[in-house]
Amino acid sequence: MSTPAFPPGGTLIQTFRKSFVDVPIDADNDNAISTSEFLDAAESLTTMFDVLGSMAFSPVKNDMLGNVKKLRDRQLAAPAESETLQALVINELKTKKHTATEGLLWLVRGLDFTCIALSQNIAKESEELSTSFRNAYGSTLKPHHGILIKPVFSAAMSACPYRKDFYPKLGTDDAVVAAELRTYLAALEKIVGILKGFQSRKEAKW
């Protein structure tokens, strides 16, 4: 797949339609997360899998986009009840359905996986992406995957490019790329933490 172009001196993240840095979180309303901006940011993140280059990552990307679609469908069906992710979940569960709620559960797991892998790789400059992604998979998605899915994701981990080939695709200036990626991942980590906390509560379960 072709890598999106970025401006000279810029980064891939700057081309995203929405960054997790810009997703509104209402601290006065139980850390309610704005649905539209979150979904745009999640959709934008999947561009990273194109940069990873291998078709082996297509199932990972498609899984995340499929869960984004479940949430968008619910948002379109009941927009007034879906302005935040937490409201969307609580209101969908009142209808005795959980399609979007389950989609969010899997999307958060996928985002957690990506966040941990990239954060670990930036922190350990000698570590290759395949190791970082494999470690992250083991602690996030793998415990929830069945026997048929695990080999598909394991193949993706093995197909990761070398870091010397990956990072230049995120931007031409290594220092700028690293700084921007750290800020981006910190924002994503905060959102994932809020959502995991919410999903552990009784009101978010079906």
Side-chain angles (χ1 to χ4, degrees):
M1 294 183 180
S2 61
T3 304
F6 45 80
T11 66
L12 179 73
I13 290 173
Q14 291 168 7
T15 70
F16 287 0
R17 180 178 173 188
K18 183 67 68 176
S19 167
F20 285 104
V21 174
D22 304 317
V23 174
I25 301 171
D26 188 350
D28 295 326
N29 183 25
D30 198 20
N31 284 327
I33 295 168
S34 180
T35 301
S36 295
E37 287 86 349
F38 170 84
L39 294 178
D40 284 346
E43 211 165 39
S44 296
L45 176 138
T46 63
T47 309
M48 288 279 191
F49 296 117
D50 296 338
V51 178
L52 286 165
S54 172
M55 288 301 290
F57 271 93
S58 292
V60 185
K61 177 179 178 178
N62 291 339
D63 184 65
M64 290 179 72
L65 290 176
N67 290 316
V68 167
K69 185 180 186 303
K70 290 175 184 176
L71 286 154
R72 283 200 199 284
D73 287 348
R74 173 63 191 174
Q75 184 188 26
L76 287 170
E81 298 177 352
S82 308
E83 290 184 1
T84 69
L85 293 170
Q86 292 93 328
L88 183 153
V89 166
I90 290 166
N91 286 311
E92 184 192 42
L93 292 176
K94 286 178 182 175
T95 70
K96 307 300 181 186
K97 295 179 181 178
H98 59 260
T99 303
T101 300
E102 188 173 5
L104 181 62
L105 181 66
W106 281 102
L107 182 56
V108 168
R109 287 171 179 165
L111 293 173
D112 196 21
F113 156 68
T114 310
C115 185
I116 289 174
L118 291 174
S119 296
Q120 180 178 317
N121 198 254
I122 286 210
K124 299 181 179 179
E125 294 185 3
S126 63
E127 185 167 286
E128 288 297 342
L129 287 157
S130 56
T131 301
S132 301
F133 272 92
R134 196 172 286 112
N135 289 342
Y137 179 62
S139 65
T140 55
L141 289 167
K142 190 175 182 180
H144 307 287
H145 277 167
I147 195 167
L148 297 178
I149 301 297
K150 285 177 182 175
V152 174
F153 276 72
S154 293
M157 306 310 107
S158 301
C160 284
Y162 291 113
R163 61 183 300 141
K164 67 178 176 62
D165 299 320
F166 174 70
Y167 285 102
K169 292 181 181 178
L170 300 186
T172 52
D173 187 318
D174 290 349
V176 172
V177 168
E180 192 159 286
L181 199 50
R182 283 191 186 97
T183 301
Y184 177 83
L185 292 171
L188 173 56
E189 183 180 8
K190 179 181 179 181
I191 287 171
V192 166
I194 290 169
L195 290 172
K196 285 170 71 175
F198 168 68
Q199 289 171 335
S200 70
R201 283 155 42 180
K202 186 178 179 180
E203 63 188 324
K205 297 183 182 296
W206 64 91

